[in-house]
Amino acid sequence: MQYDQLKQIACVLRKQIIENSHKSHTPHLGSCLSCVDILVALYFSKLRINPSKATDPLRDRCILSKGHGAPALFHVLAKRGYYHSDCLNDYGKDGGLFAEHPPTPDKLPGIEAATGSLGHGLPIGLGIALAARMQKREYNVYVVLGDGECNEGSIWEAAMLAAGQKVSNLCVIVDFNKWQATGRSQEILSLDPMIDKWRAFGWESVEVDGHNYSELLFELDRFTSKKEKPTAIIAHTTKGKGVSFMEDDNNWHYRIPTAEEVLLAQDELGECK
């Protein structure tokens, strides 16, 4: 798919995610907008998946470990064809499937793990990647982490095991938006230099602009062409990406947009279909 087409898809998704936050009063809007381009690059250009065969044992797996980004993932999966977008009309309703975090995989096609309690997606993805080796299957596993999530010790335990076992079908993409719930990531725990930490743990590590499809897809393609060790792509992103009054403003971690702000945001995002 051409880069312009991917940008159009991301534009539509951003509008849907913002409107959904307003209607359902779902928080984490800034975090969702920062990872949209990463998810679009994966689901619309890289993953070997077929929504009509959501449990195909040979499919690539993608785990959104930063589970609070679920509103973005839900809209991506609907756009990709895992279910009709009308299903999202029940978002946030009691007893519904669509909430702040992903449900278990048996509840919704396209979901590979119920995440939300941070630090679990990479260990789960590592286990699935090791299973491919044991079962002699050729699929790849992608795990999208938040930078604040890298505070969790379980991330680094899994990173050491993956490098020790040379799990080369495992790729981490860090949504490095420089914020977490209560402040700047670097001011809470010393994350910098992020790339040097992954390299020190034995991973093939690169940095990209997480909103640049050319850079994202180049490194994702390089991951699938090299089979020596696990890969970490540090994707520099902007929280609230796409809307000027939301960008790099951590109030949008929890704040819900008003109806007027939804219209302003959609106007800024411009025409897309």
Side-chain angles (χ1 to χ4, degrees):
M1 190 173 283
Q2 299 297 313
Y3 299 152
D4 285 346
Q5 292 175 284
L6 296 175
K7 290 177 182 176
Q8 284 291 307
I9 291 170
C11 176
V12 170
L13 289 168
R14 283 191 165 93
K15 287 185 174 182
Q16 292 174 339
I17 294 164
I18 292 167
E19 186 173 6
N20 177 75
S21 177
H22 168 69
K23 287 182 176 177
S24 65
H25 289 190
T26 303
H28 306 132
L29 181 53
S31 302
C32 291
L33 297 179
S34 72
C35 69
V36 165
D37 296 305
I38 295 169
L39 294 177
V40 168
L42 285 167
Y43 279 91
F44 291 87
S45 194
K46 190 59 191 173
L47 296 178
R48 294 172 298 180
I49 51 176
N50 181 347
S52 67
K53 298 178 180 177
T55 58
D56 184 343
L58 299 180
R59 71 191 185 284
D60 284 343
R61 274 75 163 174
C62 181
I63 296 173
L64 181 66
S65 190
K66 48 171 281 182
H68 54 289
L73 178 62
F74 291 148
H75 282 85
V76 166
L77 293 177
K79 186 77 172 172
R80 190 64 178 81
Y82 280 93
Y83 41 81
H84 198 280
S85 58
D86 286 350
C87 296
L88 291 162
N89 292 335
D90 290 335
Y91 206 113
K93 294 183 179 177
D94 286 345
L97 288 174
F98 301 100
E100 286 187 38
H101 299 103
T104 53
D106 60 312
K107 298 291 194 304
L108 197 65
I111 299 294
E112 299 289 355
T115 53
S117 182
L118 297 173
H120 293 170
L122 181 53
I124 293 170
L126 171 58
I128 297 172
L130 281 168
R133 178 189 294 176
M134 295 172 186
Q135 297 170 346
K136 302 188 186 308
R137 291 174 174 168
E138 297 294 326
Y139 63 78
N140 294 309
V141 180
Y142 301 82
V143 179
V144 180
L145 299 177
D147 53 347
E149 183 180 11
C150 293
N151 294 357
E152 302 284 349
S154 55
I155 296 294
W156 302 106
E157 292 173 29
M160 284 188 285
L161 179 59
Q165 296 300 312
K166 297 182 171 54
V167 186
S168 58
N169 61 333
L170 178 62
C171 178
V172 156
I173 303 102
V174 180
D175 176 13
F176 198 7
N177 64 32
K178 322 296 187 299
W179 285 104
Q180 49 193 282
T182 56
R184 286 285 184 192
S185 300
Q186 177 62 15
E187 294 172 355
I188 294 173
L189 288 187
S190 182
L191 284 175
D192 290 336
M194 177 76 82
I195 189 168
D196 288 347
K197 288 182 170 60
W198 287 96
R199 282 175 178 158
F201 275 70
W203 287 53
E204 178 72 26
S205 306
V206 295
E207 293 179 291
V208 300
D209 177 344
H211 303 300
N212 183 311
Y213 288 104
S214 174
E215 293 186 22
L216 276 169
L217 290 171
F218 177 82
E219 294 300 340
L220 287 169
D221 287 344
R222 209 162 68 91
F223 156 65
T224 51
S225 66
K226 294 180 67 174
K227 290 294 182 184
E228 297 173 1
K229 51 186 178 180
T231 292
I233 299 175
I234 314 303
H236 292 277
T237 59
T238 301
K239 201 162 185 172
K241 177 67 178 179
V243 181
S244 63
F245 59 88
M246 295 181 182
E247 287 191 355
D248 205 35
D249 180 351
N250 208 36
N251 285 310
W252 293 98
H253 191 82
Y254 291 119
R255 192 179 157 192
I256 307 299
T258 65
E260 182 182 27
E261 288 168 337
V262 171
L263 292 175
L264 287 171
Q266 293 186 338
D267 186 56
E268 275 199 25
L269 287 164
E271 292 292 326
C272 51
K273 57 184 179 180

